[in-house]
């Protein structure tokens, strides 16, 4: 019924945001309020609609958080108020997630609810560590066990003899603190001390860390490695297969943190390329895109589109802003008539293609010089050209076209401003020496990056950090600000920049 509240108990998956189910994503998009746990990847909150309320439940083993009774009360209260609630829980809500208790509270209060299963960390984390839980040559049985039982119990509720002797693979969740006890009890009840064991921390994320040992020595190895929750323990002969099947930790950028300084609107596509190579991406957008100070110059140009021979686009942002303003003025791309289009780089050409428009000329290099080369010997003398672009940009392109005799109207369609909200996270990452590389995709990202870290000792911050620039113009801007770019792709595109980072930072050796 319209206006009726409802609660979705959603499994957020094990950490990799790509493992959220399509149903879970749809429920997040519908929700009025999202109640999320510490083990739910914060990136998933990006699927919630902009106006949705976000409430952190903060539950994690060993740390204080919102009591379970308070969470139950909150879900019931919001549901009765007619809100759609997305209860986002790490892994699967019904596997050691206390989702059953929350569902019982909702049922008792006659609140409509739906369970959206998630990819359990019990299954996914071993898979990302290269450990299949069953294998026809090794075992056909597996058990999932809580690593810490209800602390109010006087005796263990687990049948340790059955676990030790009757099950091929054991998966303990949330058991880092009790690992010595787990190993001791399994050995005492008949499991050989030499049984292989793997403990996996932050599984399915770029920060994944795996320690392998045996029941006899795993506790000491984990302590020496400094592993702390959240982690999963796998016991059984299948752990041996990790030597051959360790696929995730062999990705070329695994264990590397790369800072992406593109505008928020553009960062995701670049981030996906880096994450596919195994990197941990820190999206610290140095710039945000805003409308120009005035639309008047563009509106005047749109009123006389029939006078232009060419429209020259120097970025995908310019294409999108131009298209949006066309629509706002009650026009569409047909208003360009016979006007021809030119684009800097394939990404800008692809942005045009989204609107069903084909660029007549495409620069191979992502520079003004590249677009001039693409125009070649095209006669422009006596013709009027339109250049919709960022409010602040190099003058190379319009100056050279005017020198060739063209009348060039330069109109701002967007402007870049500093996005200072990301500065705190950026400083923390540099101080922790986590950053392997910083990427710059335009001169404005360099300028605003420097502004974000104003007052800091940049040489000290960037000591040992690689600087990657999309092209020579951006690299020159970096040098003017005291940075030393050392990664430069041969083609000045985002995919080429990602490939250059893999070539410079990648290592095929497993961890």
């Amino acid at each position: 019924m319209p206006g009726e509240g409802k609660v979705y108990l959603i499994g957020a998956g094990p950490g990799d945001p790509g493992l959220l189910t399509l149903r879970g994503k749809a429920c997040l998009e519908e929700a009025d309020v999202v109640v999320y746990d510490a083990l739910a990847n914060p990136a998933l909150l990006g699927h919630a609609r902009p106006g949705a309320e976000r409430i952190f439940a903060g539950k994690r083993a060993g740390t204080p958080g919102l009591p379970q009774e308070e969470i139950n009360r909150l879900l019931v209260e919001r549901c009765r108020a007619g809100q759609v609630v997305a209860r986002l829980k790490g892994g699967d809500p019904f596997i050691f997630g206390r989702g059953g208790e929350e569902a019982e509270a909702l049922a008792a209060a006659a609140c409509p609810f739906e369970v959206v299963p998630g990819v359990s960390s019990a299954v996914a984390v071993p898979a990302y560590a290269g450990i299949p839980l069953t294998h026809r040559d090794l075992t056909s049985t597996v058990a999932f066990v809580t690593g810490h039982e209800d602390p109010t119990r006087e005796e263990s509720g687990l049948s340790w003899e059955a676990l030790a002797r009757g099950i091929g693979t054991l998966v303990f969740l949330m058991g880092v603190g009790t690992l010595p006890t787990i190993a001791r009890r399994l050995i005492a009840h008949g499991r050989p001390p030499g049984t292989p064991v793997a403990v996996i921390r932050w599984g399915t994320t770029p920060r994944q860390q795996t320690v392998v040992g045996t029941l006899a020595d795993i506790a000491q190895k984990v302590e020496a490695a400094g592993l702390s929750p959240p982690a999963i323990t796998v016991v059984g002969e299948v752990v041996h297969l990790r030597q051959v099947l360790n696929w995730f930790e062999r990705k070329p950028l695994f264990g590397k943190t790369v800072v992406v300084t593109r505008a928020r609107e553009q960062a995701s596509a670049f981030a996906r390329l880096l994450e596919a190579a195994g990197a941990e991406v820190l999206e610290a957008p140095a710039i945000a895109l805003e409308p120009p100070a005035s639309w008047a110059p563009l509106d005047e140009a749109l009123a006389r589109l029939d006078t232009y021979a060419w429209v020259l686009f120097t970025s995908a942002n310019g294409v999108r802003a131009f298209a949006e303003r066309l629509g706002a003025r009650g026009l569409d791309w047909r208003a360009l008539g016979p006007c021809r289009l030119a684009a800097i780089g394939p990404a800008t050409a692809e942005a045009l293609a989204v609107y069903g428009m084909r660029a007549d000329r495409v620069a191979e290099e992502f520079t003004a010089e590249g677009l001039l080369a693409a125009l070649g010997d095209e006669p422009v003398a006596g013709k009027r050209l339109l250049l919709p672009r960022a409010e602040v940009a190099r003058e190379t392109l319009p100056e050279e076209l005017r020198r060739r005799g063209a009348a060039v109207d330069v109109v701002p369609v967007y402007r870049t401003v500093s996005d200072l909200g990301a500065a705190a996270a950026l400083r923390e990452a540099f101080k922790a020496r986590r950053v392997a590389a910083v990427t710059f995709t335009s001169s404005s990202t360099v300028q605003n990056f420097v502004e974000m870290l104003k007052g800091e000792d940049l040489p000290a911050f960037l000591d040992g950090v690689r600087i990657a620039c999309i092209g020579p113009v951006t690299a020159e801007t970096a040098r003017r600000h005291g940075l030393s770019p050392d990664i430069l792709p041969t083609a000045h595109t985002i995919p080429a920049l990602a490939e250059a980072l893999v070539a410079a930072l990648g290592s095929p050796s497993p961890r």
Side-chain angles (χ1 to χ4, degrees), residues 378-412:
E378 177 71 27
V380 296
K383 295 182 179 179
R384 183 174 293 278
L385 280 58
L386 179 62
L387 177 54
R389 66 175 194 181
E391 203 163 66
V392 178
R394 297 169 68 220
E395 295 301 319
T396 303
L397 181 58
E399 287 179 355
E400 174 59 23
L401 290 171
R402 287 169 183 146
R403 193 190 66 78
R404 297 182 185 182
V408 183
D409 290 343
V410 179
V411 296

Side-chain angles (χ1 to χ4, degrees), residues 338-349:
C339 188
R340 302 176 71 188
L341 306 178
I344 282 187
T348 305

Side-chain angles (χ1 to χ4, degrees), residues 216-377:
D217 62 18
I218 190 64
Q220 292 82 5
K221 287 189 172 184
V222 165
E223 182 179 4
L227 256 65
S228 58
I232 283 178
T233 301
V234 183
V235 180
E237 297 302 318
V238 289
V239 172
H240 282 312
L241 295 172
R242 170 178 161 79
Q243 299 174 27
V244 177
L245 305 181
N246 179 17
W247 61 276
F248 183 60
E249 295 171 32
R250 287 192 172 107
K251 287 190 172 188
L253 294 183
F254 180 81
K256 306 288 195 312
T257 298
V258 178
V259 174
V260 173
T261 60
R262 302 196 81 190
R264 283 189 194 278
E265 297 84 352
Q266 303 168 303
S268 295
F270 188 23
R272 283 195 293 271
L273 290 173
L274 297 175
E275 287 167 346
E280 178 179 7
V281 174
L282 177 57
E283 288 192 20
I287 62 174
L289 302 182
E290 292 187 356
S294 171
W295 286 112
L298 177 59
D299 289 344
E300 292 173 7
L302 295 181
R304 57 171 186 269
L305 279 176
D306 58 346
T307 67
Y308 294 106
W310 285 85
V311 179
L312 313 175
F313 290 101
T314 58
S315 72
N317 294 325
V319 172
R320 287 188 286 268
F322 184 86
E324 289 171 8
R325 194 60 183 173
L326 269 177
R329 301 292 294 177
L331 303 170
D332 60 29
W333 290 87
R334 289 174 298 179
L336 273 69
C339 188
R340 302 176 71 188
L341 306 178
I344 282 187
T348 305
E350 288 170 10
L352 282 168
V354 169
Y355 298 99
M357 305 302 293
R358 183 182 63 83
D360 297 282
R361 299 289 177 89
V362 180
E364 294 183 4
E365 292 189 4
F366 191 78
T367 61
E369 292 81 0
L371 187 52
L372 289 167
L375 289 171
D377 56 1

